[in-house]
Amino acid sequence: MKNPVEKTLLELEAKGLKRSLTIVESATGPRVTIEGKDTLLMCSNDYLSLANHPRVKEAAIKAIEKYGVGSGASRLTSGTMTPHIELEEKIKEFKKTEAALVFNSGYNANTGLIPSLIAKHGYVFSDKLNHASITDGCLLSRATLKRYPHSDTRALEELLNEAGNADKLIVTDGVFSMDGDMARLREIIELADRYNSTVLVDDAHGVGVLGESGRGSLEHLGITHSSVIQMGTLGKAIGTFGAYATGSKKLKELLMNKMRPFIYTTSLPPAICAAAIAAIDVMQKEPWRRKKVVQNAAVVREALNKQGFDTLKSSTQIIPVVIGDAEKTMAVSRKLLTRGLFVQGIRPPTVPENSSRLRLTVTAGHTDEDIEFAIKTLKEVLREEGL
Ligand SMILES: *Cc1c(COP(=O)(O)O)cnc(C)c1O
């Protein structure tokens, strides 16, 4: 008899789904050191290349000198420090909303926001391709969970209709993290208005990149709908760590009182808040970063499509290259790494069965030469592997 730990690991191995860690030995950025070798990195979410930006680092160092490293307590005890408030002010001003509240991570945010917005007798509607943290938040809420087929607003409408007068929450990624396409937010918001539902948009991959001022998916689509609750992360385009929600002052008050991952955890280190403020500032002052991401994405997508590779409905900096088989995907990823290009393979349960893929991401720091090298290397390796 094998113990449960070994049994699970053996099952994963048999299915080609056992995961392991790749170690980055340098600061993250467009190029990194892996196994002592200079490697082009194309699977990071540091979209604006701010994680190692001198101004962002300087802000963190100064804050460490002034405030130390840890906050020492949760937000509601003695863990609210000046940088937390300054970061919330900065986000509020940047997102042009009434209020903002900061959390320790996007995962934390979703597992707390959803149960704060919908409870046991309510209904929560979630796109099937939403991030795992959204699914977990839905389950924790104990509301009836209705998952609708990806971006199928007709199916969503049927489900909303069936829910009758119950409390409702629709939750969706703004940009889908593994497919790189955008939610049909205009239709979703219209349905929400018609069926009296709250809307929560997780803009982890939209904020900083999309929209004229980097405000994210809603700005990109020209939607100014003040009642939409937006969540975003600071660990991706903003290059640091943490997450936030924006909405009304009343919403903020509710979350401060009800949201367990806000209440029952030590607050973000003050230096991370200071770094995030600096990163948002750089993002606002350097719109070329957004433009470069969009341009790099267009070049890569076009080149792959021209070669007949399936990039699904990607329209953003996230570009999936669907391979299908899990083991084959990992073999391709390993081979790319030996040629100096790191693109992680993504397998179930992160993506649906038989849709294992390379999840390529481009950043502002990738030069035209980097992009050219990546396209050439991808073409070579995919061909060699008979794809
Ligand atoms: C990354 C991600 C999260 C989690 O954010 P973290 O800050 O990394 O915990 C949540 N939602 C989506 C859509 C994401 O891609």
Side-chain angles (χ1 to χ4, degrees), residues 105-107 110 131 133 173 177 202 204-205 231 233 236 242:
S105 76
Y107 185 90
N110 282 332
H131 193 260
S133 57
D173 282 13
S177 56
D202 172 346
H205 300 278
M231 169 272 183
T233 65
K236 289 171 179 164

mmCIF file of all heavy atoms in Angstrom, residues 105-107 110 131 133 173 177 202 204-205 231 233 236 242, ligand 1:
data_model
loop_
_atom_site.group_PDB
_atom_site.id
_atom_site.type_symbol
_atom_site.label_atom_id
_atom_site.label_comp_id
_atom_site.label_asym_id
_atom_site.label_seq_id
_atom_site.Cartn_x
_atom_site.Cartn_y
_atom_site.Cartn_z
ATOM 1 N N SER A 105 -2.238 39.705 -2.212
ATOM 2 C CA SER A 105 -1.980 39.121 -3.528
ATOM 3 C C SER A 105 -3.308 39.006 -4.260
ATOM 4 O O SER A 105 -4.377 39.143 -3.660
ATOM 5 C CB SER A 105 -1.331 37.738 -3.420
ATOM 6 O OG SER A 105 -2.284 36.769 -3.043
ATOM 7 N N GLY A 106 -3.223 38.755 -5.526
ATOM 8 C CA GLY A 106 -4.429 38.579 -6.321
ATOM 9 C C GLY A 106 -5.196 37.334 -5.893
ATOM 10 O O GLY A 106 -6.426 37.331 -5.863
ATOM 11 N N TYR A 107 -4.450 36.297 -5.560
ATOM 12 C CA TYR A 107 -5.105 35.064 -5.103
ATOM 13 C C TYR A 107 -5.916 35.342 -3.839
ATOM 14 O O TYR A 107 -7.093 34.999 -3.725
ATOM 15 C CB TYR A 107 -4.054 33.965 -4.849
ATOM 16 C CG TYR A 107 -4.712 32.661 -4.491
ATOM 17 C CD1 TYR A 107 -5.066 31.738 -5.466
ATOM 18 C CD2 TYR A 107 -5.049 32.377 -3.168
ATOM 19 C CE1 TYR A 107 -5.716 30.573 -5.138
ATOM 20 C CE2 TYR A 107 -5.708 31.208 -2.823
ATOM 21 C CZ TYR A 107 -6.034 30.305 -3.813
ATOM 22 O OH TYR A 107 -6.694 29.157 -3.484
ATOM 23 N N ASN A 110 -9.138 37.521 -4.617
ATOM 24 C CA ASN A 110 -10.310 36.832 -5.159
ATOM 25 C C ASN A 110 -10.979 35.904 -4.154
ATOM 26 O O ASN A 110 -12.206 35.798 -4.115
ATOM 27 C CB ASN A 110 -9.935 36.056 -6.422
ATOM 28 C CG ASN A 110 -9.820 36.989 -7.615
ATOM 29 O OD1 ASN A 110 -10.471 38.033 -7.657
ATOM 30 N ND2 ASN A 110 -8.993 36.624 -8.572
ATOM 31 N N HIS A 131 -9.594 32.571 -13.803
ATOM 32 C CA HIS A 131 -8.450 32.149 -12.997
ATOM 33 C C HIS A 131 -8.870 31.269 -11.811
ATOM 34 O O HIS A 131 -9.957 31.436 -11.260
ATOM 35 C CB HIS A 131 -7.750 33.411 -12.468
ATOM 36 C CG HIS A 131 -6.409 33.163 -11.885
ATOM 37 N ND1 HIS A 131 -6.188 33.069 -10.533
ATOM 38 C CD2 HIS A 131 -5.203 32.984 -12.488
ATOM 39 C CE1 HIS A 131 -4.899 32.864 -10.317
ATOM 40 N NE2 HIS A 131 -4.280 32.813 -11.480
ATOM 41 N N SER A 133 -8.073 31.290 -8.792
ATOM 42 C CA SER A 133 -8.385 32.008 -7.551
ATOM 43 C C SER A 133 -9.842 32.480 -7.539
ATOM 44 O O SER A 133 -10.452 32.610 -6.477
ATOM 45 C CB SER A 133 -7.446 33.207 -7.375
ATOM 46 O OG SER A 133 -7.516 34.073 -8.489
ATOM 47 N N ASP A 173 -12.481 37.358 -15.669
ATOM 48 C CA ASP A 173 -11.180 37.937 -15.993
ATOM 49 C C ASP A 173 -11.441 39.043 -17.014
ATOM 50 O O ASP A 173 -12.336 38.894 -17.862
ATOM 51 C CB ASP A 173 -10.280 36.895 -16.686
ATOM 52 C CG ASP A 173 -9.648 35.873 -15.736
ATOM 53 O OD1 ASP A 173 -10.072 35.779 -14.580
ATOM 54 O OD2 ASP A 173 -8.734 35.168 -16.194
ATOM 55 N N SER A 177 -6.107 34.712 -18.601
ATOM 56 C CA SER A 177 -4.680 34.565 -18.310
ATOM 57 C C SER A 177 -3.974 33.517 -19.145
ATOM 58 O O SER A 177 -2.763 33.595 -19.326
ATOM 59 C CB SER A 177 -4.482 34.275 -16.828
ATOM 60 O OG SER A 177 -5.227 33.135 -16.450
ATOM 61 N N ASP A 202 -11.707 40.915 -12.836
ATOM 62 C CA ASP A 202 -10.329 40.654 -12.415
ATOM 63 C C ASP A 202 -9.418 41.085 -13.562
ATOM 64 O O ASP A 202 -9.337 40.415 -14.586
ATOM 65 C CB ASP A 202 -10.178 39.163 -12.103
ATOM 66 C CG ASP A 202 -8.724 38.746 -11.840
ATOM 67 O OD1 ASP A 202 -7.807 39.529 -12.148
ATOM 68 O OD2 ASP A 202 -8.526 37.625 -11.340
ATOM 69 N N ALA A 204 -6.108 41.408 -13.718
ATOM 70 C CA ALA A 204 -4.699 41.094 -13.429
ATOM 71 C C ALA A 204 -3.792 41.321 -14.640
ATOM 72 O O ALA A 204 -2.668 41.795 -14.497
ATOM 73 C CB ALA A 204 -4.571 39.648 -12.946
ATOM 74 N N HIS A 205 -4.285 40.988 -15.826
ATOM 75 C CA HIS A 205 -3.450 41.108 -17.028
ATOM 76 C C HIS A 205 -3.784 42.331 -17.880
ATOM 77 O O HIS A 205 -3.177 42.542 -18.924
ATOM 78 C CB HIS A 205 -3.545 39.839 -17.875
ATOM 79 C CG HIS A 205 -3.087 38.628 -17.142
ATOM 80 N ND1 HIS A 205 -1.762 38.295 -17.029
ATOM 81 C CD2 HIS A 205 -3.775 37.707 -16.428
ATOM 82 C CE1 HIS A 205 -1.662 37.199 -16.295
ATOM 83 N NE2 HIS A 205 -2.857 36.822 -15.913
ATOM 84 N N MET A 231 -10.797 44.464 -9.717
ATOM 85 C CA MET A 231 -9.684 43.947 -8.935
ATOM 86 C C MET A 231 -8.485 43.910 -9.882
ATOM 87 O O MET A 231 -8.646 43.692 -11.080
ATOM 88 C CB MET A 231 -10.061 42.552 -8.434
ATOM 89 C CG MET A 231 -8.942 41.753 -7.832
ATOM 90 S SD MET A 231 -8.104 40.835 -9.142
ATOM 91 C CE MET A 231 -6.940 39.933 -8.165
ATOM 92 N N THR A 233 -3.875 43.274 -9.984
ATOM 93 C CA THR A 233 -2.721 42.854 -9.199
ATOM 94 C C THR A 233 -1.560 43.812 -9.423
ATOM 95 O O THR A 233 -1.483 44.506 -10.430
ATOM 96 C CB THR A 233 -2.291 41.411 -9.543
ATOM 97 O OG1 THR A 233 -1.851 41.372 -10.887
ATOM 98 C CG2 THR A 233 -3.443 40.450 -9.368
ATOM 99 N N LYS A 236 2.173 41.937 -11.563
ATOM 100 C CA LYS A 236 2.366 41.675 -12.991
ATOM 101 C C LYS A 236 2.899 42.943 -13.672
ATOM 102 O O LYS A 236 4.052 43.285 -13.470
ATOM 103 C CB LYS A 236 1.073 41.123 -13.566
ATOM 104 C CG LYS A 236 0.867 39.700 -13.022
ATOM 105 C CD LYS A 236 -0.435 39.040 -13.282
ATOM 106 C CE LYS A 236 -0.400 37.640 -12.669
ATOM 107 N NZ LYS A 236 -1.699 37.031 -12.517
ATOM 108 N N GLY A 242 1.264 42.216 -4.644
ATOM 109 C CA GLY A 242 0.041 42.653 -3.984
ATOM 110 C C GLY A 242 -1.091 42.795 -4.984
ATOM 111 O O GLY A 242 -0.945 42.457 -6.165
HETATM 112 C C1 LIG B 1 -2.094 36.044 -11.491
HETATM 113 C C2 LIG B 1 -3.551 36.142 -11.376
HETATM 114 C C3 LIG B 1 -4.156 36.240 -10.129
HETATM 115 C C4 LIG B 1 -3.366 36.092 -8.857
HETATM 116 O O1 LIG B 1 -2.630 37.228 -8.605
HETATM 117 P P1 LIG B 1 -1.358 37.138 -7.633
HETATM 118 O O2 LIG B 1 -1.116 38.527 -7.204
HETATM 119 O O3 LIG B 1 -0.255 36.568 -8.455
HETATM 120 O O4 LIG B 1 -1.746 36.236 -6.514
HETATM 121 C C5 LIG B 1 -5.514 36.440 -10.072
HETATM 122 N N1 LIG B 1 -6.247 36.508 -11.201
HETATM 123 C C6 LIG B 1 -5.701 36.386 -12.424
HETATM 124 C C7 LIG B 1 -6.564 36.478 -13.630
HETATM 125 C C8 LIG B 1 -4.334 36.178 -12.543
HETATM 126 O O5 LIG B 1 -3.795 36.009 -13.740
#
